[in-house]
Amino acid sequence: MRNALALIAISTALVAGCATAPSQSAGLAGTHWIITRVDGAAPVTPSRASLRFDDERLSANVGCNGIGGDYRVEGNRLIAGPLMATRMFCEGPVWQQEEAVNALLSAAPEMRRSGSTLRLVSGGHALDLELSAG
């Protein structure tokens, strides 16, 4: 009888160890954000400036190239990468904003969420976002 109970206890522990870990997205999965500020400035192309979080992937656009990759949340940090981007020719302010967003997302930014706003800060860059209804 003791052997049977020990076998049940060991089996239960092994099955529990194989269980799927809870989502590491900190409530971001399935959300779409409008970028309202890049380093304190309004987006050059506001109609395209957005950041979307799916279950394990994020995608961003500031107005020229798309940026995307895997992500997870550790504490109050957004860990993204490796990130990939399309390579269309862009220049001027939209390119500078795109480079800032890419650098920020690659630098494990600190997340500060308050209701429908989200602020990402790291590596000398800041991104302010507003939760989109759609």
Side-chain angles (χ1 to χ4, degrees), residues 13-59:
L14 288 173
V15 169
C18 294
T20 302
S23 172
Q24 298 272 330
S25 68
L28 293 175
T31 60
H32 180 224
W33 300 83
I34 303 302
I35 298 172
T36 58
R37 300 296 238 194
V38 179
D39 292 340
V44 175
T45 312
S47 64
R48 297 191 62 199
S50 67
L51 177 61
R52 178 180 300 279
F53 293 96
D54 293 318
D55 288 333
E56 296 175 359
R57 294 192 57 80
L58 63 80
S59 58

Side-chain angles (χ1 to χ4, degrees), residues 39 77 99-110 112 120-127:
D39 292 340
R77 296 255 177 215
E99 288 293 299
V101 169
N102 200 0
L104 173 107
L105 292 175
S106 298
E110 178 183 343
R112 300 175 192 158
L120 302 176
V121 179
S122 186
H125 296 289
L127 191 62

